Coordinates of all heavy atoms in Angstrom, one line a residue:
M167 N 18.9 -3.5 -17.6 CA 19.9 -4.6 -17.5 C 20.8 -4.6 -18.7 O 22.0 -4.7 -18.6 CB 19.2 -5.9 -17.3 CG 20.1 -7.1 -17.1 SD 19.3 -8.6 -16.9 CE 18.8 -9.0 -18.5
L168 N 20.2 -4.5 -19.9 CA 21.0 -4.5 -21.1 C 21.9 -3.3 -21.2 O 23.0 -3.4 -21.7 CB 20.0 -4.6 -22.3 CG 19.2 -5.9 -22.5 CD1 18.3 -5.8 -23.7 CD2 20.2 -7.1 -22.6
G169 N 21.4 -2.1 -20.8 CA 22.2 -0.9 -20.8 C 23.3 -1.0 -19.9 O 24.4 -0.5 -20.2
Y170 N 23.1 -1.5 -18.7 CA 24.2 -1.6 -17.7 C 25.3 -2.6 -18.2 O 26.5 -2.3 -18.1 CB 23.6 -2.1 -16.4 CG 24.6 -1.8 -15.2 CD1 24.5 -0.6 -14.5 CD2 25.5 -2.8 -14.8 CE1 25.4 -0.4 -13.5 CE2 26.4 -2.5 -13.8 CZ 26.3 -1.3 -13.1 OH 27.1 -1.1 -12.1
I171 N 24.8 -3.7 -18.8 CA 25.8 -4.7 -19.3 C 26.6 -4.1 -20.4 O 27.8 -4.2 -20.5 CB 25.1 -6.0 -19.7 CG1 24.6 -6.7 -18.5 CG2 26.0 -6.9 -20.5 CD1 23.6 -7.9 -18.9
A172 N 25.9 -3.4 -21.3 CA 26.6 -2.7 -22.5 C 27.6 -1.7 -22.0 O 28.7 -1.5 -22.5 CB 25.6 -2.2 -23.4
G173 N 27.2 -0.9 -21.0 CA 28.1 0.1 -20.4 C 29.3 -0.5 -19.7 O 30.4 0.0 -19.8
Y174 N 29.0 -1.5 -19.0 CA 30.1 -2.2 -18.2 C 31.2 -2.8 -19.2 O 32.4 -2.7 -19.0 CB 29.5 -3.3 -17.3 CG 30.5 -3.8 -16.3 CD1 30.6 -3.2 -15.1 CD2 31.3 -4.9 -16.6 CE1 31.5 -3.7 -14.1 CE2 32.2 -5.4 -15.7 CZ 32.3 -4.8 -14.4 OH 33.2 -5.3 -13.5
K175 N 30.7 -3.4 -20.3 CA 31.6 -4.0 -21.2 C 32.0 -3.0 -22.3 O 32.8 -3.3 -23.2 CB 30.8 -5.2 -21.9 CG 30.6 -6.3 -21.0 CD 31.9 -7.0 -20.7 CE 31.7 -8.2 -19.9 NZ 32.9 -8.9 -19.6
N176 N 31.5 -1.7 -22.2 CA 31.8 -0.7 -23.2 C 31.5 -1.2 -24.6 O 32.3 -1.0 -25.6 CB 33.3 -0.2 -23.1 CG 33.5 1.1 -23.8 OD1 32.5 1.8 -24.1 ND2 34.7 1.5 -24.0
F177 N 30.3 -1.7 -24.8 CA 29.8 -2.2 -26.1 C 29.0 -1.1 -26.7 O 27.9 -0.9 -26.2 CB 29.0 -3.5 -25.9 CG 28.4 -4.0 -27.1 CD1 29.1 -4.7 -28.0 CD2 27.1 -3.8 -27.4 CE1 28.6 -5.2 -29.2 CE2 26.5 -4.3 -28.5 CZ 27.2 -5.0 -29.4
M178 N 29.5 -0.5 -27.7 CA 28.7 0.5 -28.4 C 28.2 0.0 -29.7 O 28.9 -0.5 -30.6 CB 29.5 1.8 -28.6 CG 30.0 2.4 -27.4 SD 30.8 3.9 -27.7 CE 29.7 5.0 -26.8
M179 N 26.9 0.1 -29.9 CA 26.2 -0.5 -31.1 C 26.7 0.3 -32.3 O 26.8 -0.2 -33.4 CB 24.7 -0.4 -31.0 CG 24.2 -1.5 -30.0 SD 22.4 -1.5 -30.1 CE 22.1 -1.2 -28.4
S180 N 26.9 1.6 -32.2 CA 27.3 2.4 -33.3 C 28.6 2.0 -33.9 O 28.8 1.9 -35.1 CB 27.3 3.9 -33.0 OG 28.2 4.1 -31.9
E181 N 29.6 1.6 -33.0 CA 30.9 1.1 -33.5 C 30.7 -0.2 -34.3 O 31.3 -0.4 -35.3 CB 31.8 1.0 -32.4 CG 32.3 2.2 -31.8 CD 33.2 2.0 -30.6 OE1 33.5 0.8 -30.3 OE2 33.6 3.0 -30.0
K182 N 29.9 -1.1 -33.8 CA 29.6 -2.3 -34.5 C 28.9 -2.1 -35.8 O 29.3 -2.8 -36.8 CB 28.8 -3.3 -33.6 CG 29.4 -3.6 -32.2 CD 30.8 -4.2 -32.3 CE 31.3 -4.4 -30.9 NZ 32.7 -4.7 -30.9
L183 N 28.0 -1.1 -35.9 CA 27.3 -0.8 -37.1 C 28.3 -0.2 -38.1 O 28.3 -0.5 -39.3 CB 26.2 0.1 -36.8 CG 25.3 0.5 -38.0 CD1 24.6 -0.8 -38.5 CD2 24.3 1.6 -37.6

Side-chain angles (χ1 to χ4, degrees):
M167 182 178 77
L168 293 176
Y170 198 89
I171 291 170
Y174 192 90
K175 292 292 187 178
N176 197 15
F177 175 79
M178 298 188 117
M179 287 187 239
S180 60
E181 289 178 4
K182 302 303 177 192
L183 185 64

